[in-house]
């Protein structure tokens, strides 16, 4: 479709080899080579355009996501690292908050791939970089988007720390995410903010259940269930979590 071809074109402009794109998309090499000539020509015209570099980073991210779907984690890692390099370049060339957000996202994408590869320490290091950027943005700009991203960073860090067996640190990160998501929900009780808040309660419920704190787990699961019921959401997952906690 059109979006797929746009992604391929942007990847070619970013310097991704034709053979690599062929391996993922199976688009005819003859067509890809013709497309590459157009991409090279456009690069000559708009080499220093900031928006174009951001588009290239986005295209590489899409290719990384495709490679991840195909379970080709090494290739996904390569694409996400290239996206990171471009977003970092844009961020350093001109202070642009969206470029810093893109950099934080690229680090998180890299962390997600490392988790899939069972390289948890590498995942943690990548998330530390992502989290530092998100924390700076939330402190300096503090939009609801930045606060939401910061909460997401806390949750992701918590998940990695939990996998590493660092339970106390994981709980601390989950609790920080809960505080932010609770504030965002109070300010604006949207469906998205509700979803983020219930995720925070469920994360704390699951880690409490995992360490045998069943009463605490039940409290968190119940809060998640009550929130969803209040908004008329169907909640079989939350009810199942509570049942599992109560039956321990």
């Amino acid at each position: 479709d059109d979006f797929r071809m746009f992604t391929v074109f942007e990847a070619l402009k970013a310097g991704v080899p034709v053979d690599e794109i062929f391996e993922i998309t199976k688009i005819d090499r003859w067509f890809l080579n013709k497309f590459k000539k157009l991409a090279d020509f456009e690069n000559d015209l708009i080499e220093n355009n900031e928006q174009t570099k951001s588009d290239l980073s986005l295209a590489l991210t899409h290719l990384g996501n495709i490679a991840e779907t195909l379970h080709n984690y090494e290739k996904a890692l390569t694409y996400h690292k290239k996206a990171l390099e471009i977003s970092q370049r844009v961020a350093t060339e001109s202070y642009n908050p969206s470029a810093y957000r893109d950099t934080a996202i690229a680090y998180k994408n890299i962390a997600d791939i490392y988790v899939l590869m069972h390289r948890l320490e590498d995942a943690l290091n990548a998330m530390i970089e992502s989290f530092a950027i998100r924390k700076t943005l939330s402190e300096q700009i503090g939009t609801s988007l930045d606060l939401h991203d910061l909460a997401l960073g806390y949750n992701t860090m918590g998940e990695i720390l939990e996998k590493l067996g660092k339970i106390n640190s994981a709980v601390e990160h989950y609790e920080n995410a809960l505080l932010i998501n609770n504030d965002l929900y109070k300010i604006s009780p949207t469906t998205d903010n509700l979803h983020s808040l219930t995720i925070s309660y469920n994360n704390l419920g699951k880690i409490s259940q995992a360490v045998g704190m069943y009463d605490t787990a039940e409290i968190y699961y119940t809060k998640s269930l009550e929130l969803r019921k209040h908004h008329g959401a169907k909640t079989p997952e939350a009810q199942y979590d509570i049942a599992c906690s109560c039956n321990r």
Side-chain angles (χ1 to χ4, degrees):
D1 55 26
D2 291 342
F3 181 74
R4 183 183 185 218
M5 297 314 300
F6 167 79
T7 302
V8 169
F9 187 65
E10 294 301 324
L12 288 166
K13 287 199 298 181
V16 179
V18 167
D19 287 343
E20 287 190 22
I21 296 176
F22 172 77
E23 288 178 12
I24 292 178
T25 66
K26 303 305 179 185
I27 296 173
D28 187 87
R29 281 191 175 89
W30 179 88
F31 180 79
L32 289 174
N33 282 315
K34 294 293 184 182
F35 226 30
K36 185 178 185 304
K37 289 182 180 179
L38 291 174
D40 291 342
F41 177 72
E42 185 167 326
N43 275 341
D44 290 339
L45 293 177
I46 52 177
E47 181 178 356
N48 297 315
N49 185 282
E50 179 181 318
Q51 183 58 48
T52 299
K53 291 177 183 176
S54 296
D55 291 341
L56 296 180
S57 177
L58 179 61
L60 286 164
T61 298
H62 288 315
L63 282 170
N65 293 339
I66 292 171
E68 178 185 346
T69 301
L70 296 173
H71 306 289
N72 193 336
Y73 300 137
E74 290 289 352
K75 198 170 292 296
L77 197 58
T78 298
Y79 287 132
H80 288 312
K81 285 183 176 180
K82 288 180 179 178
L84 171 64
E85 181 183 342
I86 293 172
S87 61
Q88 284 177 319
R89 195 182 313 153
V90 174
T92 55
E93 287 174 356
S94 62
Y95 181 78
N96 184 336
S98 66
Y100 283 95
R101 292 187 188 105
D102 289 342
T103 302
I105 290 170
Y107 272 121
K108 183 186 181 299
N109 289 336
I110 291 169
D112 289 342
I113 298 300
Y114 278 138
V115 169
L116 292 171
M117 297 171 75
H118 306 291
R119 294 169 57 178
L120 296 180
E121 290 293 346
D122 289 329
L124 182 61
N125 289 333
M127 266 313 300
I128 287 172
E129 296 290 343
S130 176
F131 182 79
I133 296 170
R134 285 173 165 164
K135 197 167 191 304
T136 298
L137 287 170
S138 69
E139 291 172 351
Q140 295 184 356
I141 302 174
T143 66
S144 59
L145 173 62
D146 295 311
L147 291 171
H148 178 272
D149 285 347
L150 181 61
L152 179 62
Y154 272 121
N155 271 331
T156 305
M157 288 277 286
E159 290 167 2
I160 296 172
L161 290 164
E162 184 177 354
K163 290 178 186 293
L164 285 167
K166 300 179 180 180
I167 302 302
N168 290 337
S169 293
V171 169
E172 182 180 347
H173 281 77
Y174 287 148
E175 287 176 342
N176 284 329
L178 174 62
L179 289 173
I180 296 171
N181 285 326
N182 192 46
D183 287 342
L184 288 172
Y185 178 73
K186 287 179 178 178
I187 295 170
S188 179
T190 63
T191 301
D192 286 343
N193 287 341
L194 169 67
H195 180 66
S196 296
L197 182 56
T198 56
I199 286 175
S200 286
Y201 279 125
N202 283 335
N203 283 341
L204 285 163
K206 287 174 183 176
I207 197 170
S208 297
Q209 183 177 342
V211 297
M213 298 172 61
Y214 304 118
D215 290 342
T216 302
E218 182 183 353
I219 291 171
Y220 285 126
Y221 287 143
T222 300
K223 287 182 177 179
S224 175
L225 177 63
E226 288 173 348
L227 277 169
R228 295 181 192 183
K229 279 185 174 179
H230 180 71
H231 284 263
K234 296 181 179 180
T235 57
E237 297 87 357
Q239 290 171 335
Y240 175 78
D241 288 338
I242 292 174
C244 288
S245 177
C246 291
N247 287 333
R248 293 287 181 171

